[in-house]
Amino acid sequence: MAINLLNDTDLRKKDLETKMHRDGGNLYLRVRDSGTRAWVFRYKTNSKPREIGMGAYPSVTLAQARKWAEKMREHVAEGKDPAHVINPPAMAAKKTFKEVAEDHIAAKSPAWRNAKHVWQWGRTLEQFVFPVIGNLTPDKITTDHILRILTPMWSTKLETATRVRQRIEAVISRAIALKMRDRGEGNPAAWKDHLEHLLVSPQELRKESQPVAHHAAIGHNELAALLSQLRSVESVGSLCLQFITLTAVRSGEARGATWDEMDLLSKTWTIPPSRMKAKRKHVVPLSAPAMAILRLMRERGTTHVFASPTKPRQAVTDQAVITTLHRINPAITVHGMRSAFRDWCSEETHATNEVIEMSLAHSIKNKTEAAYFRSDLIEKRRELMAAWAEYLVGVETTPLKQVI
């Protein structure tokens, strides 16, 4: 293939013939009637001719045009677009750590158990991480940055610091998988073989002698008085808390309840697997006082049974329920209500362990035992929950007031 057929002396001639002047190797100089001259790279793709403009002569010199043409021939041979030699595709702007974190939360949150966990992820990053590395790209983050985030709270807020480290590690691992950071550089937030040599281990910081902190529970014999006080409080948080107590469910399960989960005719509430800790459907038999609460809440016409008074399209918040309880008794927790129910079952009833555990939506760990209890024992559980309601509020109940 003949190449370099042209020379600058001929190209500078004012009377250069109007035509395509071939230099060889797919390179041509087009001379128009107006006298303007421009370089063209000609080749075929899928048996169809194609031309790529390379710029005007003499702004683009003969030598430069030949260098580009050589590179463009290589692209054609490799199946690449030769136009990228002159006009490379725009490089995507590198994402910051904050942007990668937001992508990670969006991708992973559908599998997380509840909205509170999603909120906690974002909140800890906003509070502790983004101020230090939020605007940095993942490839610029170093161990020094991670230590700057973790060291101030490692010995004073260990649980929070541990979660923050794990979340940073997860986000940077995502960046590595997406080639936003070289794998060979490692993950600066990794504990094993890295931060474990720079920070005191959590195991050493936690005092082994420290007793396990259980949810503060109220005695079941004190619950009737508490519910009596709650019935005088006209709020969604109060009614939700009463419903939690009467059904022995977790706070998030009650707060997130929607009307399409309720069957008022059969007096049952079916919580879908997606909202259960064990990821299994749970059917709750509803006692007379629980049904009375539902009939009152039905009048509000909201999607959620216990909708926020200020944001009717959203469920009442965890904080609203906790605040309601702590105004009456700041020493106990909402979860402690379940403990009181469990104690009552053991001390005051003849209910079998299987009925009690299924009422609490606990898994039966013994697989052989579980095989014999595939039934949800709904009628036995209905009797148990009716007895629990009678123990708490009696057969006759005080008329419920209109909720604020």
Side-chain angles (χ1 to χ4, degrees):
M1 176 178 64
I3 60 173
N4 300 342
L5 302 178
L6 302 175
N7 60 70
D8 278 312
T9 301
D10 291 334
L11 295 180
R12 282 193 289 266
K13 292 179 179 178
K14 292 183 179 180
D15 58 349
L16 196 61
E17 187 178 358
T18 301
K19 68 173 189 177
M20 295 286 282
H21 295 265
R22 179 170 172 265
D23 186 57
N26 306 82
L27 180 61
Y28 294 82
L29 182 74
R30 173 181 281 127
V31 180
R32 299 187 182 277
D33 292 337
S34 62
T36 58
R37 305 167 190 198
W39 296 108
V40 177
F41 183 85
R42 305 179 78 177
Y43 72 108
K44 286 186 178 181
T45 178
N46 298 324
S47 300
K48 295 182 179 179
R50 184 182 174 192
E51 289 187 359
I52 299 173
M54 301 169 65
Y57 177 84
S59 297
V60 176
T61 65
L62 175 59
Q64 180 63 64
R66 283 172 175 169
K67 287 182 181 179
W68 282 347
E70 181 181 5
K71 191 67 176 177
M72 293 167 86
R73 289 195 297 272
E74 293 175 3
H75 271 52
V76 172
E78 295 170 1
K80 301 177 183 177
D81 188 345
H84 290 171
V85 172
I86 300 173
N87 298 303
M91 296 295 290
K94 289 185 177 181
K95 288 191 173 184
T96 63
F97 177 89
K98 181 178 180 181
E99 291 171 326
V100 178
E102 290 169 347
D103 290 346
H104 184 77
I105 292 172
K108 293 290 187 178
S109 59
W112 292 343
R113 285 178 176 170
N114 54 54
K116 186 176 181 180
H117 184 61
V118 179
W119 178 85
Q120 287 173 334
W121 246 85
R123 176 59 180 158
T124 54
L125 294 179
E126 288 175 4
Q127 187 174 0
F128 302 109
V129 182
F130 292 163
V132 179
I133 61 174
N135 293 327
L136 296 179
T137 55
D139 58 317
K140 301 298 183 184
I141 297 171
T142 66
T143 301
D144 286 342
H145 289 121
I146 306 304
L147 290 175
R148 196 187 311 168
I149 294 167
L150 298 178
T151 302
M153 59 177 170
W154 193 253
S155 60
T156 58
K157 300 177 181 178
L158 179 60
E159 297 307 320
T160 299
T162 300
R163 292 190 184 98
V164 167
R165 185 204 64 76
Q166 292 170 340
R167 289 163 186 171
I168 298 173
E169 182 181 13
V171 173
I172 295 181
S173 291
R174 179 184 186 85
I176 291 172
L178 294 173
K179 303 187 185 305
M180 298 177 186
R181 180 184 176 92
D182 191 288
R183 191 172 296 276
E185 295 178 357
N187 191 322
W191 179 257
K192 186 174 177 58
D193 295 328
H194 187 55
L195 289 180
E196 65 176 341
H197 303 301
L198 303 174
L199 294 168
V200 180
S201 73
Q203 291 78 8
E204 292 174 358
L205 284 174
R206 296 186 183 103
K207 296 179 180 179
E208 294 184 4
S209 60
Q210 184 177 357
V212 177
H214 295 287
H215 292 286
I218 185 173
H220 61 78
N221 57 335
E222 301 174 75
L223 264 183
L226 176 66
L227 258 65
S228 178
Q229 289 178 278
L230 284 172
R231 291 170 71 80
S232 66
V233 178
E234 301 178 16
S235 72
V236 176
S238 173
L239 286 167
C240 185
L241 188 55
Q242 293 175 57
F243 191 76
I244 289 169
T245 307
L246 290 164
T247 55
V249 299
R250 297 176 180 87
S251 174
E253 294 159 5
R255 289 185 295 102
T258 56
W259 286 109
D260 58 6
E261 296 173 359
M262 301 295 173
D263 187 336
L264 301 183
L265 292 178
S266 66
K267 299 179 182 179
T268 55
W269 167 30
T270 302
I271 311 174
S274 61
R275 296 207 309 105
M276 291 299 299
K277 184 176 181 180
K279 298 301 179 185
R280 294 195 315 273
K281 179 182 73 174
H282 181 50
V283 180
V284 182
L286 300 169
S287 62
M291 287 293 296
I293 291 173
L294 291 182
R295 284 192 291 271
L296 179 62
M297 299 308 297
R298 188 71 168 175
E299 297 174 8
R300 304 187 73 210
T302 56
T303 300
H304 288 90
V305 176
F306 301 101
S308 167
T310 57
K311 299 178 181 178
R313 294 185 180 182
Q314 300 179 20
V316 66
T317 64
D318 187 31
Q319 191 58 50
V321 176
I322 293 172
T323 300
T324 301
L325 176 61
H326 285 180
R327 282 175 179 167
I328 298 174
N329 189 334
I332 61 176
T333 65
V334 176
H335 191 86
M337 304 301 194
R338 281 167 58 85
S339 298
F341 170 76
R342 185 66 178 83
D343 292 342
W344 172 81
C345 289
S346 299
E347 297 172 10
E348 304 292 336
T349 78
H350 298 291
T352 65
N353 184 64
E354 292 74 32
V355 172
I356 298 170
E357 291 299 284
M358 294 191 78
S359 295
L360 291 166
H362 286 167
S363 301
I364 299 177
K365 296 181 180 179
N366 186 305
K367 293 183 179 179
T368 303
E369 184 179 345
Y372 287 97
F373 289 96
R374 290 175 182 168
S375 164
D376 60 7
L377 303 173
I378 187 67
E379 291 308 319
K380 290 186 177 181
R381 291 197 291 114
R382 188 183 295 279
E383 292 175 8
L384 181 64
M385 300 314 294
W388 173 238
E390 184 175 347
Y391 176 79
L392 294 176
V393 300
V395 178
E396 298 295 331
T397 63
T398 303
L400 292 169
K401 297 180 180 180
Q402 178 63 44
V403 65
I404 296 175

